[in-house]
Amino acid sequence: MLALDIGNSNVVIGLHDGNAWKHVWRIPTITDDDVNFYKLQIANHWVETNLPAEVVRQVMISSVVPLLTNPIIAFCADLFTCPVQLAGPAIYREIELEVLRPHEIGSDLVANAYAASRIFAGKDALIVDFGTALTFVAVGRDKKLHGVSIAPGLRTAIKALNTETAKLPEVPLVFPDTVTGKDTVHAIQSGVLIGYEGLIKHLIARYRAELNEALIVIATGGLVGRVEALHKYFDHILPELTLDGLRLMASHIGQRATDA
């Protein structure tokens, strides 16, 4: 099956063969009206697989970019000639996950919660997603999404300092060796990256205090590989968790249809 996570920074596409993700592609999200860019990118990536389009039996899409949603759904339906489903409230009712305010929450966050509830069944979990936003999603062993926290993502925070000030540059996501900044780049890295370490530690502690001290903490998202200094706070690092959630949704719905 094919899973697409249309996000504010990237469109992430994964091809799963039933055992593992055989291909994962990332296409930068461009906020203009030219959806042909994405059609061309998806088609080019698919050609590189040397696989016929007929091998794809299901497509599941999560999107937080409304401008791209319908054109990409239509293109995938034409290219793969198979059912294309959009993760949303109608889907949530079928996957045995109680979702808090389903019309407000991003479908990528629901996918994260669903993946955690299936992969770590019987445990309470907190998913920390390092994307355009830094999100925390709590899902219980009771198959209920209990709540969410949202902060600006690491790169978003650094970019904001660059765009909203006259002299501060955009700096690389590199953890400094010391908190005392010796120059402008070092000072921004100290304030944002080491500062976010405190934010992450504190929110994890609050979630554990409010929900369950034994909850497991899972890190995911496009930037998770750039923050190795923070990995010690997580029980699991699963970069493809959102795609896994979409895959598991599609599998569950497909099985229900077969059983019916």
Side-chain angles (χ1 to χ4, degrees):
M1 65 87 60
L2 200 73
L4 292 89
D5 176 24
I6 304 173
N8 289 298
S9 295
N10 293 283
V11 176
V12 184
I13 306 166
L15 176 66
H16 199 277
D17 69 353
N19 296 305
W21 293 106
K22 305 304 291 184
H23 301 277
V24 175
W25 305 291
R26 290 181 176 272
I27 303 170
T29 301
I30 299 173
T31 55
D32 61 21
D33 294 333
D34 187 10
V35 296
N36 290 320
F37 167 77
Y38 299 96
K39 294 178 181 179
L40 181 62
Q41 291 290 317
I42 294 170
N44 285 344
H45 283 307
W46 185 256
V47 168
E48 292 170 3
T49 69
N50 291 317
L51 294 170
E54 290 76 17
V55 301
V56 176
R57 305 291 182 84
Q58 283 181 297
V59 178
M60 180 67 78
I61 296 177
S62 163
S63 178
V64 296
V65 186
L67 180 68
L68 300 179
T69 305
N70 288 332
I72 289 181
I73 287 175
F75 175 69
C76 287
D78 288 340
L79 180 61
F80 300 108
T81 63
C82 71
V84 178
Q85 294 175 300
L86 179 67
I91 295 290
Y92 307 156
R93 289 191 289 271
E94 299 186 39
I95 61 172
E96 300 176 354
L97 180 70
E98 184 179 346
V99 179
L100 180 70
R101 300 187 183 278
H103 293 279
E104 294 182 20
I105 189 170
S107 54
D108 53 341
L109 304 187
V110 178
N112 285 344
Y114 188 63
S117 72
R118 290 287 301 275
I119 296 169
F120 303 99
K123 296 183 179 180
D124 297 322
L126 179 68
I127 304 102
V128 184
D129 192 330
F130 290 84
T132 308
L134 176 66
T135 60
F136 299 74
V137 178
V139 61
R141 70 186 77 178
D142 56 1
K143 297 181 180 179
K144 179 178 179 180
L145 198 159
H146 287 277
V148 177
S149 299
I150 301 176
L154 290 166
R155 186 167 284 157
T156 303
I158 286 175
K159 185 173 290 186
L161 287 175
N162 170 241
T163 57
E164 299 297 327
T165 64
K167 291 188 176 182
L168 294 181
E170 188 171 351
V171 305
L173 291 176
V174 177
F175 272 81
D177 295 327
T178 174
V179 73
T180 52
K182 306 303 182 184
D183 54 38
T184 301
V185 170
H186 185 179
I188 295 172
Q189 290 171 332
S190 169
V192 174
L193 294 167
I194 296 178
Y196 267 60
E197 181 175 10
L199 181 153
I200 289 164
K201 286 174 59 179
H202 183 67
L203 279 174
I204 290 173
R206 285 291 300 269
Y207 270 100
R208 282 182 163 147
E210 293 184 17
L211 298 177
N212 181 357
E213 288 290 346
L215 66 76
I216 59 171
V217 183
I218 306 157
T220 191
L223 296 179
V224 71
R226 304 288 298 275
V227 291
E228 291 185 5
L230 301 178
H231 287 188
K232 58 190 175 185
Y233 301 113
F234 310 122
D235 300 301
H236 302 277
I237 312 295
L238 301 176
E240 316 304 346
L241 189 70
T242 309
L243 294 182
D244 277 322
L246 297 174
R247 173 182 63 84
L248 290 166
M249 286 181 188
S251 176
H252 181 82
I253 293 168
Q255 186 60 50
R256 285 189 55 162
T258 300
D259 293 341

